[in-house]
Amino acid sequence: MLEGLPPNGAAHVVRFVGDERAARAIADLVVETYDPAETAAAAFEIDEGGPGRPPVWRVEAFFGRPPDEAAVRALVEAAAGEAAAGALEFGRVERADWVARSLEGL
């Protein structure tokens, strides 16, 4: 039985930073393509931009198993282009005591 919200045990992450259109397209395609019990993705604004500068967005996709890097890059290339696929960062989720971190700000 799975407990909590999926993906349970998500230890792998893929990140992208870019424009809103690319970020939303990548996040949408990831959640439509992969099993929701093993994968989650979100796109969010990290910098509002300013005069003459567009907003900057980030995508974070979490995987319960190591993702196939070539397959993810091909998917992102189809959704947002070759430059976006090349800008992906693959890594592991940092181990942390999230309860202690959440209490730090109190």
Side-chain angles (χ1 to χ4, degrees):
M1 175 178 179
L2 295 176
E3 293 183 16
L5 296 173
N8 291 297
H12 306 275
V13 64
V14 177
R15 291 187 174 96
F16 167 80
V17 175
D19 64 75
E20 179 180 6
R21 185 201 62 76
R24 288 184 184 271
I26 292 166
D28 288 348
L29 201 52
V30 167
V31 298
E32 291 171 6
T33 302
Y34 292 95
D35 180 355
E38 302 222 358
T39 308
F44 48 95
E45 186 179 79
I46 59 172
D47 182 346
E48 293 180 5
R53 271 187 335 125
V56 179
W57 282 63
R58 172 177 290 160
V59 174
E60 291 187 343
F62 296 90
F63 294 82
R65 297 182 184 155
D68 178 336
E69 187 173 325
V72 173
R73 286 190 191 279
L75 188 68
V76 169
E77 185 172 344
E82 187 176 343
L88 294 178
E89 295 179 9
F90 290 77
R92 300 227 359 135
V93 175
E94 138 191 11
R95 292 186 138 281
D97 181 345
W98 295 107
V99 173
R101 281 197 180 174
S102 68
L103 296 174
E104 286 175 1
L106 298 178

